[in-house]
Amino acid sequence: MNLELKGLQARHPSAPASAAPALQALDLQVAAGEQVAIIGPSGAGKTTLLQVLACAQRPTQGVVLLGGQDPWQLPAGGLRQLRGQLFLAPQVPPLPPRQRVVTSVLAGRLPAMGGWASLRSLFYPADIPAAYQALVHFDLADKLFERVDRLSGGERQRVGLARALLAPASLWLIDEPLSALDPMRARMAMGALVGLARERQATLVATLHQVDMALAHFDRIIGLREGRQLFDLPARQVSPERLAHLYDQHEHELRGDALPFAAELSPASPAVMHCR
């Protein structure tokens, strides 16, 4: 799926009317099957951009075209069909805590399933080998039948990524996929995600705090700051000077001082929720 943004402006739904837009006059084109990393300091508008691309947030100005279609000009059925071709992995995946990992991973297929099949899959997982293979890519195969609330934060994050491999989507939108991972697992997860996107010719747009990971795994890097695009370059042309300008007054983020990968090593906090 190819993407095109023209003069995009978007405001966070919870922001006051007097606040500056989270995205301002953004123009962007991504070819079908291309993998792109979005970097920039906190508050740059990276997550808002993914929400707009996922048709979860309507822009306040400008045009969004996904596969040549403006989602907000489609009838309800058309919008629902288009959303079925998108996969959004938020930084904190919304996994029911008492659900088994196998069920959570297979939920990636729900957009292509009917109501009865979706309900049945909650109790009788339909393709356990496929879930197992998806988890292998993220070093989680041994957690196949574990309950989600017994996983660490980093393990839950990797379960959320494994869902992408089963989703019937041609566009993967991945928000900060490494924020709860230690460096070794971060490299493994990023390599698997980008490699499989290329193999399947899926369009991948990922936001990353880890600049070194973006430069190592992506051919194209887009730098956002305060809702504006500062550069859109091949990774080899992203110089230390450009990065210093992008992260001016946010140097600790560029250095990675605040990466919270300790969540990978600590047990998950109990969650109050009642579902299988």
Side-chain angles (χ1 to χ4, degrees), residues 99-210:
Q99 193 174 70
R100 302 289 178 182
V101 168
V102 60
T103 306
S104 289
V105 174
L106 290 172
R109 290 182 169 173
L110 290 179
M113 298 169 67
W116 171 246
S118 300
L119 181 62
R120 188 177 189 279
S121 70
L122 290 173
F123 302 97
Y124 304 102
D127 194 347
I128 293 174
Y132 178 87
Q133 288 301 320
L135 291 167
V136 164
H137 290 290
F138 298 99
D139 193 28
L140 276 178
D142 60 324
K143 304 293 184 180
L144 182 64
F145 294 109
E146 193 71 77
R147 261 178 34 172
V148 168
D149 58 2
R150 294 174 182 167
L151 303 180
S152 71
E155 288 169 341
R156 292 198 302 274
Q157 197 165 45
R158 285 182 283 154
V159 169
L161 297 178
R163 279 182 164 185
L165 308 190
L166 298 184
S170 54
L171 172 60
W172 297 355
L173 304 166
I174 314 294
D175 192 17
E176 303 294 352
L178 312 179
S179 61
L181 304 187
D182 63 70
M184 181 189 73
R185 288 190 173 93
R187 286 192 295 272
M188 177 186 298
M190 200 74 264
L193 197 63
V194 175
L196 289 165
R198 287 173 178 159
E199 179 182 311
R200 300 179 184 192
Q201 299 184 322
T203 307
L204 169 62
V205 180
T207 67
L208 289 166
H209 270 306
Q210 297 86 344

Side-chain angles (χ1 to χ4, degrees), residues 203-239:
T203 307
L204 169 62
V205 180
T207 67
L208 289 166
H209 270 306
Q210 297 86 344
V211 175
D212 58 334
M213 290 289 179
L215 295 175
H217 292 281
F218 289 84
D219 296 328
R220 179 181 174 190
I221 310 292
I222 295 173
L224 289 185
R225 183 183 174 96
E226 297 179 349
R228 297 184 182 277
Q229 180 181 297
L230 263 61
F231 60 78
D232 180 352
L233 294 168
R236 64 182 180 277
Q237 295 181 18
V238 180
S239 64

